[in-house]
Amino acid sequence: MNSPDDILAELRRLRATDAPTHGGRVLSYVYDSGLAIVDSLAADASALVQPVNGLDPTTFGSVAAIERDLISFSRTAFGSSDAVGSVTSGGTESCILAVLSAREFTRTPAGTGNIVIPSTAHAAFDKAGKLLGVSVRRVPVDPTTTRADADAIADAVDDDTILLVGSAPNYPTGTLDPIVELGDLALRRGVGLHVDACLGGLALAWWPTPLPDWDLRVPGVTSLSADFHKYGYAPKGASVLLHTDRDRHRAAYFATTDWPGYPVVNPTLLGSKSVAGAAAAWAITRYLGDTGFTGLVADIAGTVETLVDVVDGIDGLRIVGDPAGPVFTVATDPAATTPIDPHRWADEVSARGFTLQPQPAYVQADGSTLAASTHLTITPVTSAVIDELSQALREGADAAYGLERSVAPAALRELAAAFDSGAISIDDALALDSASTEAVLIGAGIDPHTDPADAADSLDLSAVITAIESLPTPITAKMLAEFLAAYSNPSP
Ligand SMILES: *Cc1c(COP(=O)(O)O)cnc(C)c1O
């Protein structure tokens, strides 16, 4: 046996290789309130429920009490006094359950229904469609505003449509969809409308400037998801899915007595489950309350305003669409005298100490393109580093002037050309086994057996993003899955 001290020392060494989760240096994935007490309170709350099994709130009454409070807190935040819902492990689970609820509520057999979503909706809905046998219609958004187009969505709805989705706001550009118009459409067509507020719902609910209506108050909205592990500042593992209709909520439950064991009643996807995330979220919502959230969100809003001004002041870059909330995205300004590539800019900003998130260009179903961009998630802690960050954004732009897009590794460019010319068919490539797929990756200089501690240095992310844009989407998906599977497994 190893000593507990040695084991923890080893874990600390591993953690030291991670991107910094605190301090505002990473502008995606992590949501830092900047308040040490929030983190220590969450850790203590998680530890207190560590041995509890969230599977059975009748045996562990604390689970029911925590969930009641979280649902009560969130339905008030989102404008309903009587919505019902479930606490889930995260946004993906909330979105999958929203689709499951719609499928079951409408008694639609797997393989027949469809959901109609803006092309900017989160990929979690594709995952839901794949798992649940529901087809997903991604409808182009206006490439300039990046806002969902309710008329285009209406055109995609048919008798098999079980659910519409709007984002509040969306992940790729931070834009708020026209929920009122979508609600109107949902009522006219007699289908459900899910508002995906996973990302920023818990920020928009306290946003200091007026926003168009977007929450449970909007007629036609049937469900809403929001992640406590984003702008609820909780550790990962806590989200909520609210329904305006009790029967829609119940529709997603799995319950059976048709086996010899205990009666199984699951509101969510897991069986035995941790309560750590929910207990942490519960503690944080009780600590911050309305006043705490108001203050943190006001801080975020001020930071967003400042940073948007910084980007507006850079010739060569533009803010994409019309972000409303804590997230915005930056792309090349084609009208500028010297356009700046947003991924080169992200690389240069990264060299100055701040990690931004590159997003590939995306060709919508109608052929229009959402430009390649760089995403920034602003959290309360960002204000603590705002001067340094503003300087890094400006200096990064100066350094990126005139730099061309990164090129994909040669092997991947050859592969893209082979698909273009028809020398390789997509079906043949998808039939490649894991070992051959890995060989292609290694040939392209993307080695999944890199030591995780060195990965950030040895992988050229911008070049990988360029490759993603040039290859057929099913192929990149297959290669990325192969990469991550090999990366997270022991080397052969
Ligand atoms: C993060 C996110 C999700 C998925 O949530 P996870 O917690 O990562 O599973 C869904 N929708 C939006 C808009 C998100 O930002």
Side-chain angles (χ1 to χ4, degrees):
M1 275 169 57
N2 296 302
S3 86
D5 282 349
D6 289 349
I7 295 165
L8 291 177
E10 186 181 352
L11 186 53
R12 274 186 209 101
R13 274 196 300 280
L14 294 174
R15 284 281 288 111
T17 69
D18 289 342
T21 52
H22 286 85
R25 301 252 148 210
V26 177
L27 286 90
S28 59
Y29 298 129
V30 290
Y31 302 80
D32 183 356
S33 69
L35 304 172
I37 178 69
V38 164
D39 291 331
S40 61
L41 177 64
D44 290 345
S46 301
L48 272 173
V49 297
Q50 178 169 278
V52 171
N53 189 347
L55 171 65
D56 186 357
T58 65
T59 303
F60 306 104
S62 63
V63 180
I66 287 167
E67 295 194 349
R68 283 181 188 189
D69 281 352
L70 283 175
I71 290 162
S72 170
F73 176 86
S74 48
R75 73 182 178 186
T76 304
F78 302 128
S80 167
S81 56
D82 59 0
V84 293
S86 298
V87 175
T88 76
S89 64
T92 299
E93 189 177 27
S94 293
C95 295
I96 292 171
L97 288 170
V99 177
L100 175 63
S101 158
R103 196 192 72 179
E104 296 296 293
F105 181 76
T106 55
R107 299 177 187 278
T108 303
T112 62
N114 68 69
I115 60 174
V116 181
I117 71 176
S119 66
T120 47
H122 197 277
F125 294 99
D126 297 294
K127 188 176 195 175
K130 182 173 181 179
L131 293 173
L132 299 173
V134 171
S135 65
V136 179
R137 299 181 175 174
R138 275 189 182 267
V139 176
V141 300
D142 179 323
T144 308
T145 64
T146 71
R147 193 171 281 123
D149 176 344
D151 292 333
I153 298 225
D155 289 342
V157 172
D158 64 17
D159 291 344
D160 296 325
T161 301
I162 60 168
L163 190 70
L164 312 179
V165 172
S167 308
N170 72 43
Y171 190 90
T173 71
T175 299
L176 177 57
D177 283 334
I179 304 301
V180 172
E181 288 170 46
L182 294 176
D184 192 51
L185 170 64
L187 289 174
R188 273 188 284 128
R189 294 302 305 249
V191 294
L193 169 60
H194 179 74
V195 175
D196 179 7
C198 282
L199 173 60
L202 287 166
L204 294 191
W206 288 275
W207 203 252
T209 52
L211 298 170
D213 291 348
W214 59 274
D215 62 9
L216 293 171
R217 276 171 278 232
V218 175
V221 171
T222 50
S223 56
L224 181 150
S225 52
D227 293 351
F228 292 109
H229 64 208
K230 289 180 181 158
Y231 286 95
Y233 317 108
K236 298 301 178 235
S239 172
V240 69
L241 172 64
L242 297 171
H243 296 268
T244 54
D245 179 297
R246 288 168 52 156
D247 291 306
R248 283 185 178 270
H249 174 230
R250 278 30 165 198
Y253 272 62
F254 176 79
T256 187
T257 52
D258 193 11
W259 77 305
Y262 58 89
V264 171
V265 188
N266 297 156
T268 59
L269 297 177
L270 298 179
S272 289
K273 62 183 181 184
S274 167
V275 192
W282 175 86
I284 293 170
T285 55
R286 288 178 81 85
Y287 175 73
L288 291 176
D290 213 42
T291 314
F293 276 92
T294 305
L296 290 176
V297 172
D299 188 15
I300 294 170
T303 306
V304 169
E305 205 180 332
T306 304
L307 294 177
V308 164
D309 280 350
V310 169
V311 174
D312 279 341
I314 298 174
D315 185 41
L317 293 174
R318 68 183 166 100
I319 302 284
V320 179
D322 182 19
V327 164
F328 66 90
T329 289
V330 177
T332 302
D333 181 358
T337 34
T338 317
I340 299 175
D341 176 70
H343 299 164
R344 289 291 195 169
W345 177 61
D347 287 344
E348 293 297 338
V349 174
S350 168
R352 288 160 179 80
F354 292 91
T355 307
L356 313 183
Q357 191 174 51
Q359 301 182 131
Y362 177 73
V363 182
Q364 303 192 94
D366 63 359
S368 64
T369 299
L370 302 180
S373 62
T374 289
H375 173 114
L376 288 84
T377 292
I378 308 307
T379 64
V381 80
T382 317
S383 62
V385 290
I386 191 163
D387 291 338
E388 203 189 332
L389 174 58
S390 302
Q391 192 183 349
L393 300 184
R394 289 196 193 94
E395 291 181 4
D398 290 341
Y401 270 119
L403 297 181
E404 300 283 325
R405 276 312 280 284
S406 304
V407 291
L412 293 184
R413 277 181 284 141
E414 281 163 28
L415 192 60
F419 283 114
D420 281 349
S421 69
I424 312 179
S425 79
I426 295 185
D427 284 346
D428 286 347
L430 290 178
L432 281 183
D433 65 10
S434 154
S436 312
T437 311
E438 186 188 72
V440 174
L441 284 170
I442 293 175
I446 303 171
D447 183 356
H449 303 291
T450 318
D451 182 345
D454 302 332
D457 297 329
S458 58
L459 292 172
D460 181 349
L461 199 55
S462 296
V464 172
I465 295 273
T466 311
I468 287 175
E469 290 173 358
S470 63
L471 289 166
T473 51
I475 303 300
T476 38
K478 180 181 170 81
M479 297 207 313
L480 290 172
E482 177 56 41
F483 174 82
L484 204 68
Y487 184 63
S488 307
N489 269 262
S491 291

